[in-house]
Amino acid sequence: MQQPVRIAPSILSADFAQLGAEVTAIDRAGADWIHVDVMDGHFVPNITIGPAVVKALRRHTAKPFDVHLMIAPVDPYLALFAEAGADTISVHPEAGPHLHRSLQAIKALGRRAGVVLNPATPVECVVPVLDLIDLVLVMSVNPGFGGQAFIPSALPKIAALRQIIDASGRAIDLEVDGGINRQTIGPVVAAGADVVVAGSASFEGGPSAYPGNLAALRVAAEVVQPAAVCAMDGR
Ligand code: DX5
Ligand code: ZN
């Protein structure tokens, strides 16, 4: 069942020189989760932060940490991110070598487990692991950078996953990440997403703009223009 929309600002678009204050500010502005993008310069062409930074940020908010790992190999680092304070840990099947084993490891650490689907990764790959996951994250950009344009082919993937999740009867969040703004959030939610990552759209304009940025996204999430969905979907 699709849940009420939760917004997960990605701190990738925050001011890295004052990350603690940024996390506190976006929490007070109304963030539901804090999305943490971890990149290794190998699995994706960018380098961000590691478990020490996640741990340091933990005392700046009580909101759930939604940790998106874009690192390979991923298994050796799962325990470090769990200990650092991650609530959900999401992994890419391509980060391998064994998705099922990685998800088992996350659950054994007592954390929520997520699978991330790149734009070219088919939705079917989550079916064999539905019993292990709490979240599916659909990438609507290629991972690595904030501020990229939304890829419309994510929309039919979200709709297909909504059907798969509902048919399973399991409580699995359906999250979307990349290029989310006031134009794209409505179609994404209409397609079936119930968690939305927003980096640039959350942090643009600095701390005084954050409450307005998140409020505008919430309003836009409820407003669906069918014509806009069709246009984005290439129909
Ligand atoms: C991209 C990251 C995203 C990114 C989203 O690899 O996974 O979370 O920060 O940034 P925007 O919302 O600016 O596209
Ligand atoms: Zn992300």
Side-chain angles (χ1 to χ4, degrees):
M1 277 277 291
Q2 188 172 7
Q3 303 298 308
V5 176
R6 286 144 291 167
I7 297 179
S10 164
I11 59 170
L12 184 60
S13 295
D15 180 350
F16 271 28
Q18 38 202 341
L19 219 36
E22 289 279 71
V23 165
T24 300
I26 207 71
D27 171 339
R28 291 186 180 154
D32 295 297
W33 298 357
I34 306 298
H35 186 81
V36 181
D37 287 307
V38 178
M39 306 184 186
D40 66 354
H42 164 73
F43 182 69
V44 290
N46 196 3
I47 300 176
T48 56
I49 61 173
V53 176
V54 176
K55 186 174 185 179
L57 291 174
R58 191 58 284 187
R59 66 186 175 83
H60 290 269
T61 179
K63 299 281 172 70
F65 274 174
D66 177 34
V67 176
H68 175 190
L69 297 181
M70 289 162 273
I71 61 177
V74 69
D75 289 358
Y77 301 96
L78 296 174
L80 289 172
F81 283 101
E83 286 160 15
D87 294 279
T88 302
I89 300 176
S90 296
V91 297
H92 287 251
E94 297 85 355
H98 304 294
L99 175 63
H100 192 281
R101 177 177 288 145
S102 301
L103 296 170
Q104 282 181 317
I106 296 167
K107 298 304 287 184
L109 290 163
R111 299 301 186 270
R112 284 162 40 90
V115 175
V116 193
L117 302 180
N118 276 334
T121 306
V123 298
E124 288 75 16
C125 86
V126 304
V127 173
V129 294
L130 281 173
D131 59 330
L132 279 173
I133 59 176
D134 302 282
L135 176 144
V136 179
L137 173 52
V138 176
M139 292 306 299
S140 40
V141 297
N142 284 296
F145 302 96
Q148 302 181 78
F150 183 85
I151 296 172
S153 61
L155 289 173
K157 290 178 71 176
I158 296 164
L161 284 161
R162 170 51 56 207
Q163 288 196 350
I164 291 170
I165 290 169
D166 288 353
S168 78
R170 295 180 179 276
I172 298 173
D173 294 316
L174 180 49
E175 183 175 35
V176 181
D177 184 5
I180 297 296
N181 54 38
R182 296 171 199 183
Q183 285 71 47
T184 53
I185 192 169
V188 154
V189 170
D194 51 15
V195 187
V196 180
V197 177
S200 326
S202 297
F203 285 95
E204 65 191 356
S208 64
Y210 300 165
N213 290 347
L214 298 191
L217 285 172
R218 283 190 204 285
V219 169
E222 307 301 328
V223 180
V224 185
Q225 305 288 350
V229 179
C230 292
M232 291 176 59
D233 204 8
R235 284 181 274 155

